[in-house]
Every structure is written in structure tokens, then in C-alpha cells.
Amino acid sequence: MAHLPQHRDCQQEKLDRVLGLVACSNFRILNALSVMRNQTHVDVTCSNGFSYLPNTSGKYFHDKVPLDIGLCMQTLWIGQRREFSTPLPAPLNSGAEIIVEAAADGVSIPAIYLFAKDDSKTVFYLIVRWSPYTIVYNTAEGSWGTEVRSTSPLLTPNVTSILSIKMTETQFLISSDNDSQFQAPIRFPLQEAITLQVAFTVIKRVQIKYR
């Protein structure tokens, strides 16, 4: 187990490597507790509420072996306001899951959105209309698409529920407290989503799980 060095910044080591000064044999990852290196990969233990998300934005070398170095990105938020918005820490893909533990008062409209970089495009939109009770899924690209509706009991007013939105190659699988509610078609590539927005009366937890 290699503990995180405190005396050297990885960006500086990368610069040194580019300049041919030293190999990047020691590096640190922000929000990581520990890093284990071997000949083929890096195992990272992140701080609570953070997940290690590999990327290919840069390669470092250890014993002449190239290693892709990722980041410890925040994927769990606790005790948020009535309206919560965050950039996605990494692109979504099949196997990803969004979890929202929250409650609604039965008057205001609870909603979960995934927005694309283009402000006119909404990759995912889920709300509950209380009267008559209807779950509504939709997407938008300039204008709204065709609504997908369900009357399944996704939420009960003033009761905390754990909502799950799992993603497959073609569908969003939506459930509440582990009970499957309904499925909605994926209309735009998941990778286009860059922002998650959640609006409930009380938000206890928002979490993103990557495959």
C-alpha cells in the first residue's frame, strides 16, 4: 500500500516527465485515502462520499508502464436544499444509477432533471402531478416530446422514499423503495447529460453510481 505523498503535486511530476526530468513514480489523487500501484492498474480508496472514476485524460509512467490516472469525484450529497443541482462527475452510461432519497409535500411538484450542455435539450425529466396523481416522464429538444405516464404509487405526500433511476442501453428503469414502477425510453445519448437537478420538499440524499 502506497500512502499519498504530501510533498509533491502530480501535475508537477507530469511536467517533469514531459521535460524528461523524472518518472511519475509518486503521485497523489485529491480526496483519496490511499493508492495502490502495480504493473497494470491503480487501486484507489476515496474519501467517504467520493468515488474513483478512471479517465484517459493523461497517462503517467511507473516502471515504464503507462497508467491511466483518474480522480476521486463526489458522487454522494447529504442533506441538500429543496432544489439541488450539480454537474455530473462523469458521463452517464448503461449501468449507471441515480438515487434520490427525498419527500414531497403533496402540493409542490417534485422533479428530477438531466440537462444537456445545450440549454434547450432535456435528456431526462420526471415529475409527479398530484391531482390527478400521475408520474410523467419526458424529454425536450427545443420543444417537449411525447409524455410517458404512469399512475403507480411512486411517492406518498410527506413520506420519505428512495427513488432509483437505473439506466440500460435503451431504457430508464424507475423504482421506489425497491419496487419497480415503470420504464421510460432513452431518447438521447446518456453521455449528453452534464447536469443533474433535483427539486423536492426535503432532500436527504442524492447519489450517482457508475458501473
Side-chain angles (χ1 to χ4, degrees), residues 16-41:
D16 289 346
R17 178 172 61 80
V18 171
L19 296 176
L21 299 177
V22 296
C24 188
S25 56
N26 293 314
F27 54 86
R28 66 183 178 185
I29 297 175
L30 186 65
N31 299 314
L33 298 177
S34 62
V35 178
M36 179 182 294
R37 302 182 297 270
N38 61 33
Q39 292 297 314
T40 59
H41 69 281

Side-chain angles (χ1 to χ4, degrees), residues 41-165:
H41 69 281
V42 177
D43 292 326
V44 178
T45 301
C46 297
S47 302
N48 186 38
F50 292 77
S51 298
Y52 180 66
L53 304 177
N55 62 54
T56 57
S57 60
K59 290 182 181 293
Y60 297 80
F61 286 81
H62 177 63
D63 295 334
K64 298 181 180 181
V65 176
L67 300 174
D68 293 326
I69 305 302
L71 297 172
C72 283
M73 299 293 291
Q74 186 171 5
T75 54
L76 173 65
W77 298 265
I78 301 294
Q80 297 303 311
R81 302 171 183 171
R82 294 170 64 99
E83 293 188 4
F84 169 70
S85 180
T86 181
L88 294 176
L92 298 172
N93 52 29
S94 176
E97 180 181 12
I98 295 172
I99 298 171
V100 176
E101 184 176 359
D105 60 11
V107 178
S108 58
I109 302 298
I112 301 174
Y113 301 85
L114 286 170
F115 294 113
K117 184 176 182 180
D118 179 356
D119 291 341
S120 68
K121 180 177 286 189
T122 303
V123 177
F124 177 91
Y125 166 80
L126 183 74
I127 65 169
V128 172
R129 295 173 181 159
W130 298 107
S131 182
Y133 184 94
T134 312
I135 306 167
V136 178
Y137 161 81
N138 209 343
T139 57
E141 187 174 20
S143 60
W144 288 104
T146 302
E147 291 185 347
V148 177
R149 301 176 184 177
S150 172
T151 57
S152 298
L154 187 71
L155 295 173
T156 300
N158 300 311
V159 175
T160 299
S161 298
I162 299 176
L163 306 182
S164 168
I165 303 164

